[in-house]
Amino acid sequence: MSEQPEYDIAIIGYGPTGVTAANLLGQRGLSVVVLERDADIYGRARAISTDEEVMRVWQSVGLSDALQRDMLPGGVVAFVDDAGRPFIEVEPSSRGAGHPPQQFIYQPAVDTTLREGVARFPNVTVLTGHECLKVIATGDRASILAARLDDDVFVRTSARYVIAADGGSSAIRGQLGVGYQGTTFTERWVVIDTKVLEDWPGSSRLRFHGNPARPTVDCPTPLGHHRWEFPVRDDEDENVLVTHDAIWEVLRGQGITPEKVEILRAVVYSHHVRVADRWRVGRVFLAGDAAHAMPPWIGQGMASGVRDVANLCWKLAGVVEGTLPESALDSYQTEREPHVRETTNRAVFTGRVITERRPAVAAARNHLVRLAMRVPAARRWMVETKWIPDARYADGFLSDVAHRARGWQIPQPLVADGDGNQQRLDDVLAGAWCVLTRDGMRQTPWTSVGTPTVRVLPPGSQPAAGAIVDTRGELTAWMARRDAGALAVRPDGFVYAAAAAGRPLPPPPNGLHPSRSSTADAGITR
């Protein structure tokens, strides 16, 4: 038996969800231990895309620029018929998060960069090759028993809180007796990963082939890779479909020859629609696939896990530091579950569009949708209602006073700080609670608990202490559309409370002591 020190937070699982949590908590200075069964990064590419909100999370830990270098910005997404003619062509539009709205990734490269980020923090201990066997939460700590797999030594440690990010088959979820409700689709999918040897027309575009005979997803990934996915028909043997001869039969049907790509691997997956009954059991929180699973059609499985820990980790840090009431942790599932369910519904809808097997229905779909897509409003509707849902919470750790801006994530424009330096907004605010105001500095209940107030000046204004200049007017326009003269913004960029110009800002939550005034380090003063 090997005894490890006691920690603030234990993270079970070191995939994208767990490694993002380790970066977020490590940056806050908490003592963290990570337990991961595999000795090294999982070699197969799984997730293939991410979005601007996730990049904003990774920006908050200083890794977005490094990650960006290994990504491929997305463009037009095409749904094509059996002849390859588009019946839907849409381009995801920016929602103002300060990053491209869609980017293709090669997951092993993303995992590598995120793990290198964790290595910056001496307060984070990473134990790979350690399988978590049991978590028992009693009193004010959770006891954790793990096995070191290379020599069968048992390892015991404890933490104040545990994040279980150990995947869809989460052993921790099972130990806690938490149900995982939903559906596993009977149809299995073959996923083919390749190395690109020579580009071809359309090789840089994401295409959904709505061919009733062989629905296929055709997706570029960076660093010289490309992926195809297609379902196994009832009369087919999935073991045969992953052989080279069968793979080449499918790829040649897409016009791809051995001169174009080298096959790296082919595997078979099931698609799931599942949500855990509870995401918190005492001191243990489920995150990522351990809390929910969705089909891959809009590329939000990994992204949803990153959103989970972005919501959870600042709350955990605040509770551990004593700057937030413990009750704030109860808002985790309340805030995240509706977004996850809506995202899952949209993914299922997209899958249905792609996989229609009745030729007559598919032909009618192609014709009618092609006509509708000639109308710009229809294309906007497709992106706004069938792609990624807005970053917004209707309920949770928010003020009781309703306002049109409350619960929304603020945009992230380029701003000029008090010294006149242009930066992205989040880099100026630096993950602290703050009050943003358009109508001048004023004393509020927020001031009395030490929350910095930052005045938002319109384009063309001179830089000033305690203010930022909204260089393109994006933030001021956003506030004006929502009739917001002042915003109380949480560390994750979501609006806790808002008020119209000249109206009093609702008070902070009971027990808030936002001592992390790191905005002062970026040229903003109280």
Side-chain angles (χ1 to χ4, degrees), residues 78-89 205-211 216 254 354 365-366 370:
F79 292 72
V80 302
D81 60 20
D82 54 358
R85 298 185 303 267
F87 58 90
I88 299 175
E89 288 186 296
R205 298 180 67 184
L206 170 60
R207 292 183 293 184
F208 296 108
H209 297 263
N211 180 353
T216 308
Q254 299 284 326
I354 301 164
R365 171 203 63 194
N366 300 345
R370 193 174 280 124

Side-chain angles (χ1 to χ4, degrees), residues 178-194:
V178 175
Y180 200 44
Q181 306 302 322
T183 301
T184 295
F185 291 101
T186 57
E187 194 170 58
R188 304 262 285 167
W189 281 70
V190 178
V191 178
I192 304 167
D193 283 313
T194 68

